[in-house]
Amino acid sequence: MSLTDPTSGDDELLARYLDGRALLPGDAERLQAVLTDAATATRIKELLLVDNLLARSLAPERADFVNRMRSRLERAGESARFVSRVGEAAQRQTWRTRGRWLAWAAGAALAAGLMLIFFLPVTGVGVVESGSGRYWRAAVERPLTTGANLIAGDRVIAENTLRLHLNDGSSLTLDTDSELTLAPTAEVAAALVRGRVSAQVAKRPAGATWRLRTPYADVAVVGTMFTCALDAQGARVAVGEGVVNVETPHAAGSAHESLRLVAGEVVLAAPTGGLQRLPADLPSAGLLGWWSFDEELAGGIITVADRSGNGRDGRAEHCYSVPGIAGRGVAFKGRALIDAGLAGLGEPAEFTISLWLRTSSPHYGMLFSEVCTIGHGAGHPLHPGPPGDPAAAGRLSAAAPRSSGEQEAWLHSDRRVNDGTWHHACWWYREGVWRIWIDGQPQGEQRLPAVTPFDWANWRFCIGAGTEQMVYNFDGELDEVRVYGRALVDGEIKALAHPSGRE
Amino acid sequence: MDHAAFLELVARTEAPVRSYLAGIGVPVMDIDDLAQEAYLAHFRQAGAMPADADELGWLKGIARNMALRFFRTRARQGKPLGEVVELLEGATVTWSGGEDAQLDALRRCLSALDERTRAMFSAYYAEGGSSAAVGARFASTPEAVRILMLRMRERLRLCIERRLVAEGGA
């Protein structure tokens, strides 16, 4: 029997099989029969592999397997710790009452332990002041309403804004869908599992700290107000008043970091990116997109989040994570590129592109281009030097948009940047004038001749590559790419180049 | 095994493990779940692997067991497909290059398809693999969608093969 003949009727069988294995009675047996032919079996296997490639390529969330695996691992770890706690509790109870329980089988003892944990002496840690949610206690989930008492080890999930009053006088406010465990250990007041919590911590005796645990760091507090949020980038701690010490976990094989935070924010990058103090004064007005590349990029196709809040998530292809200027950065080599997710932006009269780069390459490579343009031929490649011009090698450039057959008008930076160290680069455009900055220093200006207007209406910008043929790929590393729909003022560009708080 | 080392292993091997699961007939919508289960099982029993074992081969073995268990469950629901696993496993695919090369070839081959077909593929994989949903969206029947997608997958298969051969020989 062959599946190569469309008239054989077996195409329908194969079509059903490939469509989520939607087989009819008898199909499985027919499939087995056709698979005994080696050539047909190979063909079907190749079709299954095509199916897998299509799923990876067209459903981008499927590309992010490593990060999902990390989350799964963390959830499994929490579950294991919970089971371990229950087991220890069961053991304590067994010792206490062993005379009466000797007849019980080991499995029954564990089950009894699970039930009897309710009767163990427990420490009340607080009460629900307002809001509602759910909580897990001894493997049982229950609704959580105003006035409910909470004990150590309770895992609380907020269904709406949930305010908890703790016995020590502190209060915690959980955002909707946030989750934390209360007093998981004697030293830790709460452990944030996901979401965001705001804390107002009661005054402590001298030397006593109040500790919030996150997967990425502990926040040790001495009488203060602060907020801690977990997202894909890690944990973010913002201090309202007072002082917070933020520390990375003491883990074997990783450096321990500590940061004293008086005001502002700190990001604790996931999972081992260390501590980074966020500048408080970076410009945000007019921000069209901001890609910090803090995701773990390990080849393949992975979504990179737009942190501007505009939802312009990008698509990294064949990129790899490297230590960046803030958290992770991204390395480009070969066919790597990032579709920045910017499209349909009209004809801007002004804009600014800011990024950090590190390269040692003398070769031409595009940093930000129209590689993914949809049906548009003109462009404004911004890259270290036009091809074939040795004098421009290693310098940052900007080129005017051009009509077909016209020469590009180039602006080159005075300095070179291909020295293997991180540099901040900024391209600025307003009404026919280009400017370039390197590390906050202006690098020249050029008024462009009459030019084709920037037509971003049909563009889809790519970072790190030149054309659809994948030529002029950038060879180096990038981080913190920001695109503004306005021309920033000098002070704003300097702030981007010298963010406050950076060591 | 610590988390960092384990995640490094995942990053290094997830593509071939998932490709292996696809090649023995696990539906694409279930591949990620089974692969995750396989990795978790390996993480929990890292000591069970002989020191001289090939780690990818070991992982594929775990994934195979997960797949067989999956098919046994499905068989109880009237979908006896476990028997085809061995037949598919024995089939030889000679595509050159790793997954990156295959994805690259796929992307180029997809660009040669007409816009409507590309849109149908996108809808199919983005919406959980339902030919009924795609049919409703594109004013077609589920049966017609299945047949069209089979033909297009066939076209992509041949195109990918040609490109991989051309690039492998370049």
Side-chain angles (χ1 to χ4, degrees):
Chain A
M1 193 182 298
S2 167
L3 288 176
T4 54
D5 177 7
T7 63
S8 69
D10 289 328
D11 262 9
E12 282 84 359
L13 164 65
L14 188 49
R16 286 194 295 276
Y17 178 61
L18 289 173
D19 188 33
R21 317 299 177 259
L23 298 184
L24 299 173
D27 275 357
E29 292 73 18
R30 285 176 62 203
L31 191 63
Q32 282 179 50
V34 298
L35 280 169
T36 55
D37 175 69
T40 305
T42 295
R43 175 180 167 239
I44 293 177
K45 189 167 183 172
E46 287 176 351
L47 284 168
L48 291 167
L49 296 180
V50 169
D51 204 23
N52 181 47
L53 291 173
L54 282 164
R56 293 207 71 176
S57 182
L58 298 175
E61 74 280 2
R62 291 183 173 275
D64 197 17
F65 185 83
V66 177
N67 281 334
R68 282 180 287 125
M69 195 66 231
R70 173 182 294 117
S71 303
R72 184 82 189 269
L73 201 58
E74 285 163 359
R75 287 201 302 276
E78 284 157 11
S79 172
R81 283 192 290 278
F82 178 78
V83 170
S84 168
R85 280 207 311 275
V86 171
E88 287 166 12
Q91 196 174 25
R92 284 198 301 274
Q93 185 65 20
T94 301
W95 277 105
R96 199 174 294 167
T97 58
R98 60 185 172 183
R100 286 178 290 155
W101 300 100
L102 281 175
W104 286 67
L110 180 60
L114 280 166
M115 296 297 294
L116 286 167
I117 193 169
F118 289 108
F119 302 102
L120 286 173
V122 291
T123 309
V125 294
V127 64
V128 178
E129 209 167 79
S130 63
S132 62
R134 292 169 286 125
Y135 72 105
W136 284 84
R137 185 181 297 169
V140 178
E141 187 180 19
R142 296 186 175 84
L144 194 61
T145 52
T146 302
N149 289 311
L150 298 163
I151 65 171
D154 279 352
R155 189 158 171 174
V156 174
I157 302 158
E159 286 175 342
N160 47 43
T161 302
L162 188 65
R163 189 172 164 85
L164 311 178
H165 180 79
L166 304 186
N167 289 350
D168 68 355
S170 303
S171 63
L172 302 175
T173 304
L174 273 82
D175 283 6
T176 304
D177 287 332
S178 297
E179 182 174 343
L180 62 71
T181 303
L182 287 165
T185 69
E187 299 78 31
V188 177
L192 184 61
V193 178
R194 64 185 161 98
R196 183 174 183 273
V197 61
S198 294
Q200 182 156 13
V201 180
K203 285 198 183 304
R204 323 284 300 167
T209 56
W210 188 98
R211 190 170 284 266
L212 174 74
R213 178 151 292 169
T214 79
Y216 313 119
D218 279 4
V219 184
V221 181
V222 185
T224 191
M225 287 175 64
F226 74 99
T227 300
C228 182
L230 289 180
D231 57 21
Q233 278 72 48
R236 180 183 300 266
V237 180
V239 177
E241 63 181 43
V243 178
V244 168
N245 286 320
V246 184
E247 304 167 11
T248 54
H250 290 270
S254 64
H256 175 68
E257 289 183 74
S258 176
L259 188 67
R260 186 174 169 85
L261 197 64
V262 178
E265 285 188 326
V266 63
V267 168
L268 314 154
T272 55
L275 305 180
Q276 307 138 30
R277 191 192 300 266
L278 274 190
D281 52 355
L282 291 188
S284 58
L287 189 58
L288 298 174
W290 170 20
W291 302 272
S292 61
F293 312 121
D294 288 327
E295 298 82 2
E296 182 167 312
L297 304 176
I301 299 173
I302 295 175
T303 299
V304 289
D306 169 18
R307 298 179 62 187
S308 72
N310 294 321
R312 294 187 166 111
D313 292 347
R315 215 170 111 94
E317 300 182 16
H318 316 306
C319 294
Y320 289 83
S321 290
V322 290
I325 197 73
R328 292 192 180 105
V330 55
F332 292 83
K333 190 85 178 174
R335 289 180 170 167
L337 64 87
I338 290 175
D339 179 338
L342 282 168
L345 294 174
E347 292 187 8
E350 55 186 72
F351 59 86
T352 308
I353 297 170
S354 161
L355 54 82
W356 288 85
L357 84 165
R358 179 162 68 176
T359 181
S360 302
S361 173
H363 300 300
Y364 175 90
M366 287 194 178
L367 291 173
F368 206 95
S369 78
E370 78 286 23
V371 63
C372 295
T373 296
I374 301 165
H376 192 276
H380 73 124
L382 311 173
H383 53 77
D389 181 357
R395 302 184 197 277
L396 297 177
S397 304
R402 64 191 189 282
S403 299
S404 176
E406 289 181 2
Q407 288 292 312
E408 292 167 325
W410 289 93
L411 167 63
H412 304 302
S413 64
D414 302 329
R415 284 175 50 196
R416 298 177 195 270
V417 294
N418 59 336
D419 57 4
T421 64
W422 283 103
H423 292 282
H424 179 258
C426 193
W427 289 265
W428 180 100
Y429 176 83
R430 184 163 68 191
E431 296 171 348
V433 177
W434 268 120
R435 287 178 188 162
I436 294 176
W437 275 262
I438 295 176
D439 298 330
Q441 299 298 315
Q443 297 291 308
E445 171 180 314
Q446 180 169 345
R447 177 167 290 281
L448 301 175
V451 293
T452 306
F454 284 99
D455 176 9
W456 286 5
N458 297 311
W459 282 14
R460 180 164 283 276
F461 293 92
C462 271
I463 299 169
T467 73
E468 288 179 346
Q469 285 74 43
M470 309 294 175
V471 296
Y472 306 142
N473 291 78
F474 174 60
D475 180 2
E477 298 164 9
L478 297 178
D479 199 6
E480 303 300 318
V481 175
R482 291 174 169 87
V483 178
Y484 295 85
R486 65 186 179 91
L488 300 185
V489 299
D490 291 9
E492 290 175 313
I493 293 171
K494 287 183 189 299
L496 286 164
H498 305 289
S500 59
R502 194 181 303 288
E503 296 299 328
Chain B
M1 188 185 302
D2 64 34
H3 281 204
F6 178 70
L7 289 171
E8 191 275 328
L9 168 71
V10 173
R12 189 158 36 85
T13 57
E14 53 104 0
V17 167
R18 294 203 289 173
S19 179
Y20 169 78
L21 286 168
I24 60 173
V26 173
V28 289
M29 303 305 166
D30 297 302
I31 286 173
D32 278 12
D33 288 344
L34 287 191
Q36 284 190 9
E37 291 298 331
Y39 278 111
L40 276 182
H42 180 53
F43 181 75
R44 287 170 180 145
Q45 300 170 11
M49 188 180 76
D52 58 347
D54 163 42
E55 201 156 32
L56 178 57
W58 184 264
L59 278 165
K60 284 182 179 176
I62 299 173
R64 185 180 194 276
N65 290 336
M66 296 285 175
L68 290 173
R69 196 164 65 190
F70 167 82
F71 283 124
R72 277 198 296 274
T73 307
R74 303 256 297 190
R76 287 196 288 274
Q77 299 162 358
K79 296 174 181 175
L81 284 172
E83 301 300 321
V84 306
V85 167
E86 278 188 25
L87 294 166
L88 285 168
E89 201 169 24
T92 308
V93 173
T94 55
W95 286 357
S96 58
E99 194 186 50
D100 281 354
Q102 292 168 12
L103 281 168
D104 195 39
L106 171 73
R107 194 172 55 236
R108 289 158 189 257
C109 293
L110 269 173
S111 67
L113 297 182
D114 64 84
E115 196 173 326
R116 185 170 188 269
T117 306
R118 285 203 305 268
M120 286 176 81
F121 270 130
S122 294
Y124 182 85
Y125 288 98
E127 293 175 9
S130 164
S131 52
V134 174
R137 186 163 156 189
F138 289 86
S140 186
T141 63
E143 293 74 21
V145 170
R146 282 179 191 147
I147 289 294
L148 175 68
M149 295 190 71
L150 171 64
R151 302 259 159 83
M152 291 303 111
R153 284 181 181 120
E154 182 69 47
R155 201 169 140 186
L156 290 173
R157 179 182 77 87
L158 296 171
C159 174
I160 290 170
E161 203 163 73
R162 274 198 307 273
R163 284 192 175 278
L164 290 175
V165 168
E167 289 179 11

